[in-house]
Amino acid sequence: MITVTKAVSPPTEELLTMVAQIAESRFFTNNGMFVRKLEGQLSSTLNLPFVRLCSSGTMALQLAIRGLQLHGKKVFVTPFTYVATLSALLWEGCTPVFVDIDPEDLCLSPEKLRQAATAHPDAKGVLPVHIYGNACDIAAIDAIAQEFDLQVLYDASHAFGCEYNGTSLLGYGDCSVCSLHATKIFHTAEGGCIVSRSSNLNEDISLKRAFGHVDDTHHSLGINGKMSELHAAVGLANLPLYKDEIARRKVLAAQYDSLLTTSSLLCPTMRAGVTPNYAYYPLLLPTEKVLHEATTLMKAKDIYPRRYFYPSLNTLPYLPEEAKVSCPVAESSARRVLCLPLFGDMDPAYVDEISQILLRVS
Ligand SMILES: *Cc1c(COP(=O)(O)O)cnc(C)c1O
Protein backbone atom coordinates (compact mmCIF):
# COMPACT_ATOMS: atom_id res chain seq x y z
CA MET A 1 0.00 0.00 0.00
CA ILE A 2 1.32 3.42 -1.00
CA THR A 3 -0.01 6.38 0.96
CA VAL A 4 0.48 10.10 0.40
CA THR A 5 3.27 10.18 2.96
CA LYS A 6 5.10 7.99 5.43
CA ALA A 7 6.50 9.28 8.72
CA VAL A 8 10.27 9.57 9.02
CA SER A 9 11.46 7.22 11.74
CA PRO A 10 14.59 7.77 13.83
CA PRO A 11 17.14 5.02 14.54
CA THR A 12 15.49 2.86 17.23
CA GLU A 13 18.67 2.55 19.36
CA GLU A 14 19.12 6.27 19.60
CA LEU A 15 15.51 6.86 20.56
CA LEU A 16 15.50 4.07 23.14
CA THR A 17 18.66 5.41 24.78
CA MET A 18 16.95 8.75 25.33
CA VAL A 19 13.71 7.14 26.50
CA ALA A 20 15.73 5.14 29.07
CA GLN A 21 17.41 8.34 30.25
CA ILE A 22 14.02 10.00 30.69
CA ALA A 23 12.61 7.01 32.59
CA GLU A 24 15.64 6.91 34.84
CA SER A 25 15.54 10.65 35.56
CA ARG A 26 11.81 10.40 36.33
CA PHE A 27 11.46 13.82 34.73
CA PHE A 28 8.88 13.38 31.94
CA THR A 29 7.69 16.91 31.29
CA ASN A 30 7.58 20.57 32.48
CA ASN A 31 10.20 22.21 30.29
CA GLY A 32 12.73 19.47 30.86
CA MET A 33 16.23 19.09 29.54
CA PHE A 34 15.21 17.36 26.29
CA VAL A 35 12.70 20.08 25.42
CA ARG A 36 15.28 22.79 26.16
CA LYS A 37 17.92 20.94 24.17
CA LEU A 38 15.63 20.60 21.16
CA GLU A 39 14.65 24.28 21.36
CA GLY A 40 18.36 25.15 21.33
CA GLN A 41 19.06 22.89 18.35
CA LEU A 42 16.09 24.25 16.41
CA SER A 43 17.15 27.78 17.15
CA SER A 44 20.65 27.16 15.79
CA THR A 45 19.51 24.98 12.84
CA LEU A 46 16.99 27.58 11.71
CA ASN A 47 19.18 30.49 12.79
CA LEU A 48 16.25 32.06 14.64
CA PRO A 49 16.62 33.28 18.23
CA PHE A 50 13.13 32.73 19.68
CA VAL A 51 11.78 29.20 19.28
CA ARG A 52 9.34 27.61 21.73
CA LEU A 53 8.04 24.05 21.58
CA CYS A 54 4.51 23.06 22.50
CA SER A 55 2.16 20.09 22.36
CA SER A 56 0.82 20.48 18.80
CA GLY A 57 0.68 22.77 15.80
CA THR A 58 -2.87 23.65 16.74
CA MET A 59 -1.74 24.63 20.24
CA ALA A 60 1.10 26.65 18.69
CA LEU A 61 -1.48 28.58 16.66
CA GLN A 62 -3.68 29.16 19.71
CA LEU A 63 -0.76 30.31 21.87
CA ALA A 64 0.41 32.65 19.10
CA ILE A 65 -3.11 34.06 18.64
CA ARG A 66 -3.19 34.78 22.40
CA GLY A 67 0.36 36.11 22.43
CA LEU A 68 -0.47 38.55 19.64
CA GLN A 69 -3.68 39.55 21.49
CA LEU A 70 -5.82 38.45 18.57
CA HIS A 71 -8.24 36.31 20.60
CA GLY A 72 -11.83 37.48 20.18
CA LYS A 73 -10.81 39.70 17.26
CA LYS A 74 -11.53 39.74 13.57
CA VAL A 75 -8.73 38.00 11.67
CA PHE A 76 -8.19 37.49 7.92
CA VAL A 77 -7.41 33.92 6.96
CA THR A 78 -6.94 31.81 3.83
CA PRO A 79 -9.69 29.26 3.13
CA PHE A 80 -7.21 26.94 1.40
CA THR A 81 -5.42 25.17 4.25
CA TYR A 82 -5.80 22.33 6.71
CA VAL A 83 -8.83 22.80 8.96
CA ALA A 84 -6.63 23.31 12.07
CA THR A 85 -5.61 26.79 10.87
CA LEU A 86 -9.24 27.83 11.06
CA SER A 87 -10.23 25.85 14.15
CA ALA A 88 -7.46 27.55 16.17
CA LEU A 89 -9.04 30.91 15.32
CA LEU A 90 -12.52 29.68 16.22
CA TRP A 91 -11.37 28.16 19.55
CA GLU A 92 -9.84 31.52 20.41
CA GLY A 93 -13.14 33.27 19.75
CA CYS A 94 -11.88 35.08 16.65
CA THR A 95 -14.16 36.00 13.78
CA PRO A 96 -12.53 34.59 10.66
CA VAL A 97 -12.75 36.68 7.51
CA PHE A 98 -11.82 34.54 4.52
CA VAL A 99 -9.60 36.09 1.88
CA ASP A 100 -9.40 34.20 -1.40
CA ILE A 101 -6.13 32.80 -2.74
CA ASP A 102 -4.01 33.51 -5.78
CA PRO A 103 -4.80 31.00 -8.56
CA GLU A 104 -1.14 30.35 -9.35
CA ASP A 105 0.60 29.98 -5.99
CA LEU A 106 -2.53 29.05 -3.95
CA CYS A 107 -1.44 31.37 -1.10
CA LEU A 108 -3.58 34.19 0.31
CA SER A 109 -3.91 36.91 -2.33
CA PRO A 110 -2.49 40.31 -1.29
CA GLU A 111 -4.88 42.13 -3.65
CA LYS A 112 -7.86 40.44 -2.01
CA LEU A 113 -6.35 41.15 1.41
CA ARG A 114 -6.18 44.86 0.61
CA GLN A 115 -9.85 44.83 -0.44
CA ALA A 116 -10.84 42.92 2.71
CA ALA A 117 -8.81 45.22 4.98
CA THR A 118 -10.55 48.23 3.43
CA ALA A 119 -13.96 46.61 3.96
CA HIS A 120 -13.16 45.48 7.55
CA PRO A 121 -11.27 48.31 9.29
CA ASP A 122 -11.93 46.62 12.67
CA ALA A 123 -9.81 43.53 11.82
CA LYS A 124 -6.64 43.13 13.90
CA GLY A 125 -4.67 40.37 12.24
CA VAL A 126 -3.99 38.15 9.28
CA LEU A 127 -3.21 34.42 9.28
CA PRO A 128 -1.75 33.34 5.92
CA VAL A 129 -0.32 29.87 5.26
CA HIS A 130 2.86 29.06 3.33
CA ILE A 131 0.91 26.35 1.59
CA TYR A 132 2.95 23.27 0.51
CA GLY A 133 6.07 25.12 1.67
CA ASN A 134 5.61 27.87 -0.91
CA ALA A 135 6.22 31.36 0.48
CA CYS A 136 3.30 33.77 0.64
CA ASP A 137 3.87 37.17 -0.95
CA ILE A 138 5.50 38.29 2.29
CA ALA A 139 6.57 41.76 1.16
CA ALA A 140 3.08 42.66 -0.09
CA ILE A 141 1.38 41.22 3.02
CA ASP A 142 3.80 43.11 5.31
CA ALA A 143 3.08 46.38 3.50
CA ILE A 144 -0.70 45.92 3.83
CA ALA A 145 -0.33 44.90 7.49
CA GLN A 146 1.64 48.11 8.16
CA GLU A 147 -0.91 50.25 6.41
CA PHE A 148 -3.93 48.72 8.16
CA ASP A 149 -2.24 47.97 11.49
CA LEU A 150 -2.60 44.19 11.35
CA GLN A 151 -0.57 41.59 13.25
CA VAL A 152 0.85 38.96 10.89
CA LEU A 153 0.84 35.34 12.04
CA TYR A 154 2.09 32.80 9.51
CA ASP A 155 1.04 29.18 9.67
CA ALA A 156 4.35 27.72 8.48
CA SER A 157 3.36 24.11 9.19
CA HIS A 158 4.40 23.04 5.69
CA ALA A 159 7.60 25.05 5.67
CA PHE A 160 10.12 23.35 7.94
CA GLY A 161 13.41 23.23 6.02
CA CYS A 162 12.24 25.80 3.43
CA GLU A 163 14.23 28.96 2.90
CA TYR A 164 13.11 32.26 1.47
CA ASN A 165 15.74 34.71 0.25
CA GLY A 166 18.38 32.73 2.12
CA THR A 167 16.73 32.51 5.55
CA SER A 168 14.30 30.04 7.10
CA LEU A 169 10.71 30.54 6.00
CA LEU A 170 9.78 30.12 9.68
CA GLY A 171 11.25 33.53 10.50
CA TYR A 172 8.70 35.90 8.93
CA GLY A 173 5.75 37.91 10.21
CA ASP A 174 5.28 39.01 13.82
CA CYS A 175 5.20 35.32 14.61
CA SER A 176 5.24 32.02 12.73
CA VAL A 177 4.13 28.62 13.88
CA CYS A 178 4.96 25.15 12.62
CA SER A 179 3.31 21.81 13.26
CA LEU A 180 5.70 18.99 14.20
CA HIS A 181 3.12 16.27 13.63
CA ALA A 182 4.32 12.87 12.41
CA THR A 183 3.17 13.59 8.84
CA LYS A 184 5.44 16.64 8.59
CA ILE A 185 8.96 16.67 7.19
CA PHE A 186 10.49 17.08 10.66
CA HIS A 187 8.41 15.80 13.57
CA THR A 188 8.16 14.98 17.25
CA ALA A 189 5.21 12.52 16.80
CA GLU A 190 2.86 15.23 18.08
CA GLY A 191 4.11 18.75 18.63
CA GLY A 192 4.47 22.27 17.39
CA CYS A 193 6.74 25.25 17.60
CA ILE A 194 6.28 28.98 17.80
CA VAL A 195 8.87 31.30 16.32
CA SER A 196 8.54 34.84 17.69
CA ARG A 197 10.15 37.96 16.33
CA SER A 198 10.54 39.59 19.76
CA SER A 199 11.83 38.27 23.05
CA ASN A 200 8.78 39.72 24.83
CA LEU A 201 6.42 37.61 22.75
CA ASN A 202 8.69 34.60 23.23
CA GLU A 203 8.59 35.03 27.02
CA ASP A 204 4.84 35.60 27.04
CA ILE A 205 4.27 32.40 25.06
CA SER A 206 6.56 30.42 27.41
CA LEU A 207 4.41 31.57 30.28
CA LYS A 208 1.08 30.92 28.60
CA ARG A 209 1.99 27.40 27.50
CA ALA A 210 2.54 26.42 31.16
CA PHE A 211 -0.60 27.73 32.89
CA GLY A 212 0.54 31.37 32.98
CA HIS A 213 2.32 31.23 36.31
CA VAL A 214 5.84 30.99 37.70
CA ASP A 215 5.78 29.41 41.15
CA ASP A 216 3.03 31.25 43.02
CA THR A 217 2.96 34.34 40.84
CA HIS A 218 0.22 34.25 38.23
CA HIS A 219 0.98 36.55 35.29
CA SER A 220 -1.59 35.75 32.63
CA LEU A 221 -4.26 33.30 31.56
CA GLY A 222 -2.44 30.15 30.49
CA ILE A 223 -3.16 26.65 29.28
CA ASN A 224 -1.35 23.33 29.30
CA GLY A 225 0.47 23.47 25.97
CA LYS A 226 3.73 21.85 27.07
CA MET A 227 5.69 19.35 25.05
CA SER A 228 6.72 16.20 26.94
CA GLU A 229 10.30 14.96 27.20
CA LEU A 230 9.38 11.84 25.21
CA HIS A 231 8.17 13.92 22.29
CA ALA A 232 11.28 16.07 22.46
CA ALA A 233 13.39 12.89 22.34
CA VAL A 234 11.67 11.86 19.09
CA GLY A 235 12.51 15.33 17.76
CA LEU A 236 16.16 15.16 18.83
CA ALA A 237 16.51 11.77 17.14
CA ASN A 238 14.73 13.01 13.98
CA LEU A 239 16.38 16.40 13.57
CA PRO A 240 19.57 15.10 11.91
CA LEU A 241 17.43 13.27 9.31
CA TYR A 242 15.34 15.99 7.68
CA LYS A 243 17.94 17.28 5.21
CA ASP A 244 18.50 13.83 3.80
CA GLU A 245 14.73 13.28 3.65
CA ILE A 246 14.37 16.50 1.64
CA ALA A 247 17.20 15.48 -0.71
CA ARG A 248 15.60 12.08 -1.41
CA ARG A 249 12.20 13.65 -2.02
CA LYS A 250 13.74 16.20 -4.34
CA VAL A 251 14.88 13.39 -6.66
CA LEU A 252 11.41 11.82 -6.70
CA ALA A 253 9.72 15.20 -7.24
CA ALA A 254 12.01 15.81 -10.23
CA GLN A 255 10.95 12.44 -11.61
CA TYR A 256 7.24 13.42 -11.28
CA ASP A 257 8.09 16.79 -12.90
CA SER A 258 9.78 15.21 -15.89
CA LEU A 259 6.96 12.71 -16.46
CA LEU A 260 4.12 15.18 -16.01
CA THR A 261 5.35 18.43 -17.60
CA THR A 262 4.05 17.58 -21.06
CA SER A 263 0.51 17.23 -19.73
CA SER A 264 -2.26 19.66 -18.82
CA LEU A 265 -1.49 19.01 -15.15
CA LEU A 266 -0.06 21.93 -13.24
CA CYS A 267 1.84 22.35 -10.01
CA PRO A 268 1.33 25.55 -8.03
CA THR A 269 3.93 28.15 -9.01
CA MET A 270 6.79 28.44 -6.51
CA ARG A 271 7.69 32.01 -5.62
CA ALA A 272 11.14 33.14 -6.77
CA GLY A 273 13.58 32.97 -3.85
CA VAL A 274 12.06 29.85 -2.25
CA THR A 275 14.16 26.76 -1.58
CA PRO A 276 11.42 24.14 -1.23
CA ASN A 277 11.26 21.15 1.15
CA TYR A 278 9.25 18.78 -1.07
CA ALA A 279 6.88 18.05 1.79
CA TYR A 280 4.06 17.60 -0.74
CA TYR A 281 3.63 17.05 -4.45
CA PRO A 282 0.40 18.91 -5.22
CA LEU A 283 -1.08 18.73 -8.68
CA LEU A 284 -3.89 20.90 -10.01
CA LEU A 285 -6.03 18.73 -12.28
CA PRO A 286 -8.18 20.22 -15.05
CA THR A 287 -11.49 19.06 -13.51
CA GLU A 288 -12.84 17.31 -10.43
CA LYS A 289 -13.97 14.48 -12.73
CA VAL A 290 -10.36 13.80 -13.74
CA LEU A 291 -9.42 13.81 -10.06
CA HIS A 292 -12.02 11.15 -9.28
CA GLU A 293 -10.99 9.03 -12.27
CA ALA A 294 -7.33 9.20 -11.26
CA THR A 295 -7.99 8.34 -7.61
CA THR A 296 -10.22 5.40 -8.58
CA LEU A 297 -7.54 3.93 -10.84
CA MET A 298 -4.87 4.45 -8.17
CA LYS A 299 -7.01 2.90 -5.44
CA ALA A 300 -7.35 -0.23 -7.57
CA LYS A 301 -3.56 -0.52 -7.34
CA ASP A 302 -3.51 0.19 -3.61
CA ILE A 303 -2.16 3.71 -4.12
CA TYR A 304 -3.71 6.44 -2.00
CA PRO A 305 -3.09 10.07 -2.93
CA ARG A 306 -4.87 12.69 -0.78
CA ARG A 307 -7.13 15.64 -1.45
CA TYR A 308 -5.15 18.30 0.38
CA PHE A 309 -7.13 20.47 1.01
CA TYR A 310 -10.77 19.74 0.46
CA PRO A 311 -13.27 21.29 0.94
CA SER A 312 -12.41 24.96 0.87
CA LEU A 313 -12.86 26.06 4.49
CA ASN A 314 -15.25 28.93 3.69
CA THR A 315 -17.85 26.25 2.86
CA LEU A 316 -17.75 24.42 6.23
CA PRO A 317 -21.21 23.90 7.76
CA TYR A 318 -20.36 25.08 11.30
CA LEU A 319 -19.04 28.52 10.45
CA PRO A 320 -20.67 31.59 11.94
CA GLU A 321 -23.08 33.04 9.34
CA GLU A 322 -21.00 36.17 8.73
CA ALA A 323 -17.96 34.03 7.80
CA LYS A 324 -19.76 32.25 4.96
CA VAL A 325 -18.50 34.22 1.99
CA SER A 326 -17.66 33.00 -1.49
CA CYS A 327 -14.02 32.34 -2.42
CA PRO A 328 -14.22 31.13 -6.02
CA VAL A 329 -10.50 30.52 -6.54
CA ALA A 330 -10.08 28.48 -3.35
CA GLU A 331 -13.28 26.53 -4.02
CA SER A 332 -12.23 25.67 -7.56
CA SER A 333 -8.67 24.77 -6.49
CA ALA A 334 -9.86 22.64 -3.57
CA ARG A 335 -12.02 20.60 -5.95
CA ARG A 336 -9.12 19.90 -8.31
CA VAL A 337 -5.97 19.56 -6.24
CA LEU A 338 -4.50 16.16 -5.49
CA CYS A 339 -1.34 15.48 -3.46
CA LEU A 340 0.59 12.58 -4.91
CA PRO A 341 2.44 10.08 -2.74
CA LEU A 342 5.90 11.35 -1.86
CA PHE A 343 8.30 10.20 0.86
CA GLY A 344 12.03 9.66 0.99
CA ASP A 345 12.18 5.88 0.64
CA MET A 346 9.33 5.54 -1.87
CA ASP A 347 10.14 3.18 -4.72
CA PRO A 348 10.62 5.32 -7.88
CA ALA A 349 8.68 2.70 -9.85
CA TYR A 350 5.55 4.06 -8.16
CA VAL A 351 6.30 7.54 -9.46
CA ASP A 352 6.19 6.05 -12.97
CA GLU A 353 3.01 4.13 -12.29
CA ILE A 354 1.19 7.10 -10.72
CA SER A 355 2.30 9.42 -13.52
CA GLN A 356 1.09 6.98 -16.18
CA ILE A 357 -2.35 6.84 -14.58
CA LEU A 358 -2.52 10.65 -14.51
CA LEU A 359 -1.44 10.95 -18.13
CA ARG A 360 -4.06 8.40 -19.15
CA VAL A 361 -7.00 10.23 -17.53
CA SER A 362 -6.07 13.86 -18.19
C1 LIG B 1 -0.60 19.88 10.21
C2 LIG B 1 -1.13 21.24 10.13
C3 LIG B 1 -1.67 21.89 11.24
C4 LIG B 1 -2.00 21.18 12.53
O1 LIG B 1 -0.95 20.77 13.24
P1 LIG B 1 -1.10 19.69 14.41
O2 LIG B 1 0.28 19.54 14.90
O3 LIG B 1 -1.64 18.43 13.79
O4 LIG B 1 -2.04 20.25 15.43
C5 LIG B 1 -2.00 23.23 11.13
N1 LIG B 1 -1.88 23.89 9.96
C6 LIG B 1 -1.43 23.28 8.85
C7 LIG B 1 -1.31 24.07 7.60
C8 LIG B 1 -1.07 21.93 8.88
O5 LIG B 1 -0.66 21.33 7.77
Side-chain angles (χ1 to χ4, degrees), residues 118-183:
T118 309
H120 297 272
D122 53 336
K124 301 294 180 206
V126 55
L127 174 43
V129 181
H130 300 305
I131 205 82
Y132 309 127
N134 198 359
C136 294
D137 191 342
I138 290 169
I141 290 171
D142 273 356
I144 296 164
Q146 283 254 316
E147 187 181 334
F148 292 88
D149 206 13
L150 302 170
Q151 302 269 14
V152 185
L153 167 57
Y154 283 109
D155 183 342
S157 291
H158 299 175
F160 195 96
C162 293
E163 295 207 332
Y164 182 54
N165 293 339
T167 63
S168 168
L169 191 45
L170 270 54
Y172 292 89
D174 294 293
C175 188
S176 288
V177 301
C178 186
S179 164
L180 304 178
H181 182 256
T183 52

Side-chain angles (χ1 to χ4, degrees), residues 12-59:
T12 312
E13 283 289 295
E14 210 173 303
L15 183 58
L16 289 182
T17 306
M18 283 190 270
V19 171
Q21 257 176 284
I22 294 164
E24 225 160 283
S25 74
R26 299 166 74 171
F27 201 98
F28 287 90
T29 187
N30 285 358
N31 203 25
M33 123 187 172
F34 287 86
V35 164
R36 281 178 283 134
K37 189 170 173 190
L38 182 56
E39 282 177 346
Q41 289 191 8
L42 287 173
S43 192
S44 57
T45 303
L46 302 171
N47 199 21
L48 293 167
F50 309 119
V51 181
R52 282 291 175 259
L53 290 164
C54 63
S55 52
S56 71
T58 305
M59 181 53 67

